[in-house]
Amino acid sequence: MLLLVDRTRLSRPGWSRASALLLHGLLMAMMVSAALSTWGGNVAVRDDWAPLVVALSLFALTAYRSPAELAIWTGVHTAVAAVLGLIQAPFAVTPVPDPLFAISGSAVILIVGSGAVGYARSMNGSVLSWEKRAWRRADSVAREARGGVARSVRQQQISRAGRDAMPVL
């Protein structure tokens, strides 16, 4: 999370691909280390906070990454969480099929990550639409002002010429 806070400061340039790769690598390492820390003792898969942290981190990235990139990382993180759920399934005390542990361990990432992708698509579309309207408006204002500026410059040149010519006459 410190990396996320550090990379979103106004004094820093936008997120680079290397920063994003580093963050996602750290998120995957965090999920693996959380699974290892409860190895053999995670009998109910009810205390898995790592997938929730990953999901919220994906949502926090909506303003900084493209929807396509968020979709790819949502899939990658969901797959990692599902594999970790399958690996931990033999230690479970609840008699359910192993794939259900994969689903329960990764569903939160898929759901929140999909919401992040939709939000990023909507937000990016709104920003691009606003930017197009702003540029069109700025262009039309510049066109309107161009004629007035030209008349003003011409008027200044005429008045200077008149002042310079008056003493001669």
Side-chain angles (χ1 to χ4, degrees):
M1 282 299 155
L2 290 176
L3 179 67
L4 181 63
V5 171
D6 177 59
R7 299 300 175 184
T8 56
R9 286 183 299 154
L10 292 176
S11 61
R12 293 188 65 86
W15 273 79
S16 67
R17 186 164 302 275
S19 296
L21 287 172
L22 177 64
L23 177 70
H24 290 294
L26 288 173
L27 289 173
M28 284 189 281
M30 184 259 314
M31 277 197 297
V32 170
S33 64
L36 290 175
S37 72
T38 58
W39 189 258
N42 193 5
V43 295
V45 194
R46 66 174 172 259
D47 60 347
D48 289 346
W49 287 97
L52 183 61
V53 170
V54 170
L56 293 177
S57 298
L58 284 170
F59 203 81
L61 290 172
T62 55
Y64 306 103
R65 306 312 297 167
S66 70
E69 185 175 334
L70 286 172
I72 291 168
W73 283 114
T74 296
V76 168
H77 290 303
T78 300
V80 168
V83 167
L84 290 173
L86 283 174
I87 291 172
Q88 291 182 353
F91 303 113
V93 294
T94 310
V96 294
D98 290 352
L100 287 180
F101 285 99
I103 293 170
S104 69
S106 62
V108 68
I109 297 174
L110 183 62
I111 292 167
V112 175
S114 298
V117 169
Y119 181 67
R121 182 174 287 131
S122 170
M123 186 174 63
N124 290 349
S126 296
V127 169
L128 289 174
S129 172
W130 175 84
E131 188 177 22
K132 285 179 186 176
R133 286 194 314 268
W135 277 113
R136 272 185 273 176
R137 179 70 183 136
D139 187 43
S140 68
V141 167
R143 282 189 196 143
E144 290 173 7
R146 201 173 294 142
V149 169
R151 280 192 299 278
S152 174
V153 168
R154 192 174 307 126
Q155 197 62 22
Q156 285 177 352
Q157 290 172 342
I158 290 172
S159 64
R160 279 189 196 140
R163 276 192 309 239
D164 293 342
M166 211 39 132
V168 174
L169 293 176

